[in-house]
Amino acid sequence: MKRALVSVSDKTGIVDFVKGLKAAGYEIISTGGTKKALDEAGLAPIGISEVTGFPEILDGRVKTLHPKVHGGLLAVRSNPDHMAQLKELNIECIDLVCVNLYPFKQTVQKEGVSHEEIIENIDIGGPSMLRSASKNYQSVTVVTDPADYDKVLNEIQTNGDTTLATREALAAKVFRTTAQYDAMIADYLTKKEGNEFPEKLTITFDKVQDLRYGENPHQKAAFYKGMKPQYSLANAQQLHGKELSYNNIQDGNAAIEILKDFEGQHAALGLKHMNPCGIGIGSSIEEAWDKCFEADSVSIFGGIVAFNDVVNVAVAEKLSKIFLEIVIAPDFEPEAFKILTKKKNIRLLKLDVTQEVNNKFKYTNVNDGLLVQELDTKKITKDDLKCITDRKPTEEEIDQLLFAWKVVKHVKSNAIVLVKDNMTVGVGAGQMNRVGAAEIAIKEAGEKAKGSVLASDAFFPYRDTVDAAIKAGVTAVIQPGGSIRDQESIDACNEAGIAMVYTGVRHFKH
């Protein structure tokens, strides 16, 4: 008779699974709460203590860590010496293990949970059994995911056992599971000790979905989410439209990162290729959208828009007149939703913009390596600005400079942004030289450049950018400062009678 050891925290489907195993001739061994659940279902499993000849001790901390368990799992069936040792020691083989682990992840995420409770939810015996069974997958079936119960039962009922290919796949899944489990524990304890950059780093993610393709149709791709996503596209609820693509997710993430810097204001933004093409703020969400659209009504075509307020009918009617890939908002008024869903393919995403940004670090993979840095969450206020020109900026100019600074932070370097009347009027992104970025922004702004303010994500290496801004009619400039030629730019501003302020902070974005 074949034997199965069943010990699960998540009891979803376990009774039916064990019924199927018993019907297929398996003897069932179980532990603790699982045994109780199976007893209540009339399945009468053998208790683990009957197998080991030793009681469960230390409040259940030790029950399966025993040679009669691990010997029965690890013995190589084709090795005569192994089988002779089992016989001599009166150890019986265990042919199937069904184990899932203490809910460490769910425990860590509970509000107000104590350190002691978290530690008690570190499973020791479960991973040990899973690893032993997986190492011997040639002979042992190991199941840790309730989603696999039906497949395993079907193969046993059809063939008398699972196939080698299935056992191998299940073993690989187990090691992915235990690796993630250990990574979560390591992450918790590492953060508790305050070690931000440990000597070894393992990060773990759960798959959200397979994607149709990556950046281009010939590239495969999938989307994963972190251990505790909060303000994340992975937490957005898709209300309408076709499946998100790789590029949609990249752009959507960039959009919500920008939106977070405009808390407390009615803000609307348009985005293409991870760069904002228009951002507006106003006294209402409709005014914010009008400014956003006016900022660049050409580039927004086929782009993504995001709002930090509910989309109403007035805004929805305007959105419906242009081709958009995605609209992200805290919610949509019912009538506004009806208007937008007349377009079959537009994706409508609902996201709580009041959620906190849970992740502190940004991860960027390079060939066979990983770069880790703190997220750029540095904020600048009026009090942080240092005026270094003869003319001081007006209060209105200061407001516009701070707005421009929030935007330029999210534009690919080299970045120049022109702002006027609470809207972007020109965005120059990702250029190899700063004056080139300025020329793009100025050309895009056209006549609107007159009376605008300019933000630069890093210092001016030469005065040429300032000269171009002055010629276009810019009245004030905000930049980090720090160039060995700063005085040249200051002189240019003084000669033209415009204001310039330093932030002392740069915002490179590669």
Side-chain angles (χ1 to χ4, degrees):
M1 179 180 287
K2 290 193 172 185
R3 305 168 87 213
L5 196 161
V6 182
S7 179
V8 294
S9 292
D10 179 0
K11 295 177 177 56
T12 303
I14 195 60
V15 170
D16 288 339
F17 183 57
V18 170
K19 283 180 180 178
L21 291 176
K22 289 200 73 169
Y26 277 74
E27 183 177 65
I28 309 299
I29 305 163
S30 194
T31 68
T34 306
K35 183 179 186 306
K36 181 181 178 182
L38 297 179
D39 280 335
E40 290 172 353
L43 295 171
I46 300 168
I48 192 67
S49 295
E50 296 177 55
V51 174
T52 64
F54 204 90
E56 297 185 20
I57 64 171
L58 307 179
D59 297 321
R61 280 189 170 200
V62 179
K63 49 182 177 276
T64 59
L65 297 170
H66 196 279
K68 286 201 171 183
V69 173
H70 290 274
L73 292 172
L74 284 165
V76 176
R77 308 317 196 242
S78 60
N79 185 321
D81 289 340
H82 283 200
M83 301 312 291
Q85 287 179 57
L86 292 193
K87 185 175 182 180
E88 180 183 348
L89 297 168
N90 195 28
I91 297 174
E92 295 184 55
C93 291
I94 298 173
D95 306 285
L96 183 146
V97 167
C98 178
V99 169
N100 53 57
L101 306 176
Y102 294 172
F104 180 84
K105 178 180 178 179
Q106 294 88 333
T107 302
V108 167
Q109 292 179 352
K110 285 184 352 187
E111 291 294 331
V113 66
S114 68
H115 175 66
E116 290 72 21
E117 184 179 350
I118 290 170
I119 294 300
E120 284 306 310
N121 275 278
I122 296 176
D123 202 332
I124 302 300
S128 299
M129 287 188 291
L130 289 175
R131 289 171 63 85
S132 292
S134 296
K135 179 173 180 175
N136 203 19
Y137 72 83
Q138 293 280 347
S139 303
V140 181
T141 302
V142 56
V143 190
T144 192
D145 184 351
D148 294 319
Y149 291 170
D150 287 345
K151 177 181 176 63
V152 168
L153 276 183
N154 287 338
E155 288 193 10
I156 290 172
Q157 290 163 355
T158 302
N159 307 316
D161 200 356
T162 53
T163 65
L164 178 60
T166 293
R167 292 196 296 275
E168 187 172 50
L170 290 171
K173 188 172 192 176
V174 160
F175 281 113
R176 292 194 297 271
T177 300
T178 56
Q180 181 183 61
Y181 197 75
D182 284 343
M184 290 188 295
I185 296 167
D187 179 71
Y188 168 73
L189 291 173
T190 301
K191 285 178 178 174
K192 191 173 188 302
E193 69 164 315
N195 189 347
E196 294 185 334
F197 298 101
E199 75 286 349
K200 289 181 174 60
L201 178 67
T202 305
I203 53 178
T204 180
F205 298 86
D206 291 312
K207 183 187 279 189
V208 176
Q209 66 191 85
D210 288 309
L211 301 174
R212 287 176 295 156
Y213 53 81
E215 283 182 302
N216 300 290
H218 60 275
Q219 295 170 271
K220 295 178 181 178
F223 181 33
Y224 291 80
K225 67 178 178 180
M227 179 178 167
K228 192 179 178 183
Q230 290 185 359
Y231 186 67
S232 164
L233 209 67
N235 263 1
Q237 180 183 359
Q238 185 166 350
L239 304 177
H240 177 75
K242 61 184 180 180
E243 189 177 275
L244 294 172
S245 71
Y246 180 96
N247 292 334
N248 290 155
I249 293 168
Q250 287 268 60
D251 285 342
N253 181 69
I256 67 172
E257 281 188 356
I258 299 170
L259 207 59
K260 202 64 179 172
D261 275 342
F262 290 91
E263 288 181 313
Q265 300 171 291
H266 294 288
L269 69 94
L271 185 137
K272 287 283 287 291
H273 307 302
M274 298 180 68
N275 276 309
C277 55
I279 299 181
I281 55 176
S283 59
S284 67
I285 200 66
E286 185 177 3
E287 182 185 359
W289 167 248
D290 288 344
K291 290 180 180 292
C292 170
F293 182 69
E294 184 184 345
D296 190 345
S297 59
V298 175
S299 297
I300 192 61
F301 181 85
I304 286 176
V305 298
F307 301 89
N308 61 5
D309 201 354
V310 177
V311 171
N312 58 28
V313 171
V315 172
E317 286 176 342
K318 294 176 181 181
L319 296 176
S320 69
K321 293 180 171 64
I322 55 178
F323 168 56
L324 297 169
E325 289 276 0
I326 301 176
V327 180
I328 304 170
D331 209 344
F332 300 81
E333 289 183 354
E335 287 303 314
F337 185 75
K338 286 181 182 179
I339 292 168
L340 291 172
T341 52
K342 289 177 182 177
K343 293 194 170 189
K344 179 181 177 181
N345 291 328
I346 190 172
R347 290 98 159 172
L348 303 181
L349 301 184
K350 179 179 175 180
L351 179 67
D352 180 359
V353 298
T354 66
Q355 289 178 314
E356 293 181 2
V357 178
N358 183 56
N359 52 319
K360 183 180 179 182
F361 295 102
K362 180 180 179 67
Y363 303 98
T364 304
N365 67 304
V366 295
N367 286 346
D368 199 28
L370 186 73
L371 290 170
V372 183
Q373 68 168 343
E374 288 185 321
L375 287 173
D376 185 0
T377 57
K378 182 71 174 177
K379 297 185 186 300
I380 294 295
T381 67
K382 176 182 176 180
D383 293 337
D384 297 312
L385 302 180
K386 178 184 178 182
C387 183
I388 38 77
T389 51
D390 295 338
R391 185 172 84 76
K392 310 300 181 188
T394 66
E395 287 299 314
E396 171 61 21
E397 285 174 331
I398 288 173
D399 288 342
Q400 298 305 298
L401 288 168
L402 290 172
F403 174 36
W405 189 249
K406 288 181 181 179
V407 177
V408 81
K409 167 184 172 183
H410 297 281
V411 179
K412 295 284 187 180
S413 302
N414 287 315
I416 297 291
V417 170
L418 300 185
V419 161
K420 183 179 181 180
D421 297 329
N422 289 329
M423 59 184 275
T424 57
V425 294
V427 178
Q431 298 306 299
M432 285 63 74
N433 60 72
R434 194 154 298 280
V435 70
E439 288 168 350
I440 290 172
I442 290 166
K443 181 179 179 182
E444 181 183 312
E447 287 299 309
K448 292 176 184 175
K450 293 179 181 178
S452 69
V453 303
L454 179 149
S456 173
D457 65 336
F459 64 61
F460 303 124
Y462 303 99
R463 63 175 282 168
D464 50 4
T465 301
V466 175
D467 288 334
I470 292 167
K471 184 177 179 181
V474 167
T475 66
V477 175
I478 185 169
Q479 59 128 326
S483 169
I484 59 173
R485 292 189 173 88
D486 270 348
Q487 192 58 50
E488 294 179 13
S489 297
I490 295 169
D491 291 343
C493 290
N494 287 334
E495 290 164 13
I498 73 170
M500 184 158 66
V501 296
Y502 285 172
T503 63
V505 175
R506 80 173 188 200
H507 285 305
F508 271 161
K509 186 176 183 183
H510 283 77

